[in-house]
C-alpha cells in the first residue's frame, strides 16, 4: 500500500523541488558516502519502461578524472569543482518504446532526475550536463565504444560554494504548460 497521503510529506517534496536549482560553483568539499549512497538508492528506485532498468551510472569522485571530464564537457568548470559526477549511460539502445521514443534516453533521464531530487533533499547541489563530447566522456570513463552504450547525461553533485550567484527560479505559469483533456 502507498504511504503518501499528501499533507506534510507532499509539502516537503514540493519545497525540495522549489529549492533545487542548477549549481555551477562548488565548494572544495567531498560528498559524504552516506549522502551519495542515498542519491544512488533513489537512482535504483527510478521507474523504467517495461522495468528494463537499462541504464548504468558511473560515479566519479577522483580529482584527476573530474579534471579530465572538464575538457570532455566543453570546458564547463563546475565539472572539475564538484564533489562527484554521475554519468548516466543507456544500455539496450535498440529498444524503442511503442510511442517511438528510444527507451534508454527516457529511462536514464528519469534516473538522473531521481538523483537530482534526492541530492537536493540531502542538501547537495546538482547541475545537469548535456553539453559534452560523448566520445571523450566514454574515453575518460572507459565506457564501451560503439552504439550499444550511450552516455545520455552527466550530473554534477556537491556543496554549493559560499556566495555563489543564484538566478531566481523563472518558470512559466502553469496555464502555459498544462491543458486538461485536450491540447
Amino acid at each position: 500500500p502507498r504511504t503518501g497521503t499528501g499533507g506534510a510529506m507532499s509539502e516537503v517534496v514540493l519545497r525540495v523541488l522549489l529549492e533545487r536549482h542548477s549549481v555551477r560553483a562548488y565548494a572544495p568539499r567531498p560528498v559524504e558516502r552516506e549522502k551519495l549512497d542515498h542519491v544512488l538508492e533513489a537512482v535504483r528506485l527510478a521507474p523504467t519502461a517495461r522495468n528494463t532498468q537499462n541504464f548504468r551510472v558511473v560515479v566519479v569522485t577522483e580529482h584527476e578524472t573530474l579534471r579530465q571530464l572538464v575538457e570532455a564537457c566543453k570546458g564547463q568548470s563546475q565539472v572539475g569543482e564538484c564533489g562527484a559526477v554521475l554519468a548516466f549511460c543507456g544500455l539496450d539502445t535498440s529498444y524503442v518504446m511503442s510511442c517511438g521514443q528510444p527507451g534508454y534516453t527516457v529511462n536514464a533521464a528519469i534516473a538522473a532526475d531521481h538523483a537530482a531530487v534526492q541530492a537536493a533533499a540531502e542538501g547537495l547541489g546538482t547541475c545537469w550536463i548535456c553539453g559534452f563530447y560523448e566520445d571523450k566522456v566514454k574515453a575518460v570513463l572507459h565506457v564501451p565504444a560503439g552504439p550499444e552504450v550511450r552516455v545520455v547525461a552527466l550530473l554534477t553533485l556537491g556543496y554549493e560554494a559560499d556566495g555563489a550567484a543564484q538566478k531566481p527560479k523563472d518558470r512559466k505559469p502553469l496555464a502555459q504548460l498544462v491543458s486538461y483533456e485536450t491540447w
Side-chain angles (χ1 to χ4, degrees), residues 85-103:
V85 165
L86 306 181
F88 290 83
C89 301
L91 311 173
D92 186 16
T93 57
S94 64
Y95 169 60
V96 177
M97 299 182 299
S98 60
C99 64
Q101 301 298 324

Side-chain angles (χ1 to χ4, degrees), residues 31-52:
V31 174
E32 296 88 344
R33 182 60 188 250
E34 181 180 21
K35 290 185 177 189
L36 181 58
D37 287 346
H38 288 170
V39 170
L40 295 173
E41 180 63 8
V43 168
R44 188 183 74 82
L45 294 173
T48 58
R50 293 187 340 195
N51 197 32
T52 55

